[in-house]
Amino acid sequence: MRVIDSHLHLWDPAVLEYEWLEGPLDWRFAAEEILEEQLAGVDEEAAIFVQADPVEGRSLDEVRWVDSIALETGVVAIVAGARLDRGAETDAQLAALAEHERVIGVRHLLQSERDGLARTEAFRRGARMLARRGWTFDACVRAQQIPDVTALAASVPDLPIVLDHLGKPSVGTASAPSAPDAGWVDDLRELAAQPQVHCKLSGLPAESGGVWTDAQLTPFLDVALDAFGAERLMWGSDWPVSSIDFGRLEDGAYVIGARQRWFRTVADWAASRGVDADALFWSNALAFYGIR
């Protein structure tokens, strides 16, 4: 079985500053750490690095650092950080990122922005610049922002967009699970009506606080499958963010093997639904990101 992790993070606070890191996440997660979390029962494994939101102005340095450890970590492509709403400054940032061959897309982290930013002309201009370069856009939003992504996709139809973490729906907890919210379901279906939009099966463990049951999360995978079809889904670990159990200790604890467990959860679900595992875990992500 071949697996490409479509959503892997790496960072080292000794190399770059990350204002959002705290508790068990405020540690190094780099080459040595990911090598200890390689997936069992996999013949070939690779990864797409997704920007980890260092302090502003250091996105290019982040790309340089990831490039320097790419061979050790199995990273074959980079989704770099960039602000898309700053006109000429955006153009210059994209030009600098283009000097690095592994960069194939951008993520402007929308989950921490005001609702509606992706609908502004400034943001759409930046999105069109991505499309002209043949790059992709990772949309990391909270559930109420999914319609903003739908509007962006409609206004820039030649930009390939992938929704990170299924739009971060409310999944409840292992002991008190939540059923898929009807509003989220409707919004996901409307987004999926835009043919260039894909969806990552990632991040749900983090939304559950790092502890989950398969029965709790598979209904959300079913909604994504119904909306996007198997050909527009890809698996991502969201490592190490989704490997933190926030029920342990005061600030949470890193759980060895959580990445493997999420892989197994999605693999078992895919087998039970007749989803082509090679497409879900390999070829869909390669095709979306244009990796050859």
Side-chain angles (χ1 to χ4, degrees):
M1 184 178 184
R2 304 180 295 176
V3 175
I4 184 160
D5 187 341
S6 72
H7 204 95
L8 182 79
H9 299 299
L10 300 164
W11 60 73
D12 185 346
V15 175
L16 293 168
E17 182 181 356
Y18 302 82
E19 293 178 341
W20 63 277
L21 293 183
E22 60 183 6
L25 288 175
D26 193 11
W27 299 90
R28 182 185 69 181
F29 291 95
E32 182 179 342
E33 291 75 20
I34 190 59
L35 288 176
E36 294 175 349
E37 293 283 0
Q38 294 298 285
L39 301 172
V42 169
D43 301 316
E44 184 177 356
E45 184 175 345
I48 297 166
F49 168 80
V50 177
Q51 68 95 17
D53 205 28
V55 294
E56 188 164 352
R58 301 301 301 275
S59 292
L60 185 58
D61 292 328
E62 181 181 50
V63 168
R64 290 172 178 144
W65 175 69
V66 173
D67 259 339
S68 75
I69 61 171
L71 294 180
E72 300 172 72
T73 56
V75 168
V76 296
I78 294 172
V79 176
R83 290 200 62 93
L84 296 183
D85 59 342
R86 293 189 174 173
E89 183 180 331
T90 294
D91 299 345
Q93 188 173 17
L94 298 183
L97 292 172
E99 296 295 318
H100 297 266
E101 291 184 2
R102 286 190 179 88
V103 174
I104 42 76
V106 157
R107 182 168 81 160
H108 177 144
L109 197 57
L110 288 170
Q111 67 174 16
S112 55
E113 300 280 12
R114 62 178 175 83
D115 294 356
L117 178 64
R119 298 175 184 262
T120 64
E121 181 51 34
F123 194 96
R124 290 174 176 176
R125 178 191 178 281
R128 289 193 292 269
M129 293 301 296
L130 285 186
R132 288 171 191 161
R133 289 186 176 277
W135 286 357
T136 62
F137 179 66
D138 265 59
C140 186
V141 297
R142 303 198 182 278
Q144 76 272 10
Q145 297 171 309
I146 293 175
D148 291 343
V149 183
T150 304
L152 176 67
S155 64
V156 191
D158 53 343
L159 175 63
I161 297 173
V162 61
L163 180 68
D164 293 349
H165 314 327
L166 292 84
K168 296 197 164 189
S170 175
V171 300
T173 64
S175 59
S178 296
D181 176 78
W184 171 77
V185 173
D186 289 343
D187 287 343
L188 204 70
R189 288 173 177 166
E190 289 183 15
L191 177 60
Q194 301 295 326
Q196 84 275 28
V197 181
H198 292 58
C199 181
K200 289 184 181 180
L201 304 185
S202 61
L204 295 188
E207 296 306 303
S208 184
V211 180
W212 75 93
T213 67
D214 289 2
Q216 172 197 2
L217 298 187
T218 53
F220 295 86
L221 304 181
D222 285 336
V223 172
L225 177 61
D226 179 66
F228 287 92
E231 69 281 0
R232 287 194 284 156
L233 298 178
M234 62 188 80
W235 177 78
S237 70
D238 189 34
W239 184 85
V241 179
S242 280
S243 291
I244 305 299
D245 177 353
F246 286 100
R248 299 191 191 185
L249 306 179
E250 183 177 351
D251 296 321
Y254 177 75
V255 179
I256 296 172
R259 182 173 184 257
Q260 173 73 32
R261 180 159 177 244
W262 177 239
F263 166 69
R264 193 74 265 155
T265 290
V266 178
D268 290 347
W269 165 82
S272 71
R273 303 302 192 265
V275 174
D276 181 359
D278 193 66
L280 177 62
F281 289 100
W282 187 261
S283 60
N284 287 353
L286 293 181
F288 173 80
Y289 284 110
I291 302 169
R292 294 173 179 82

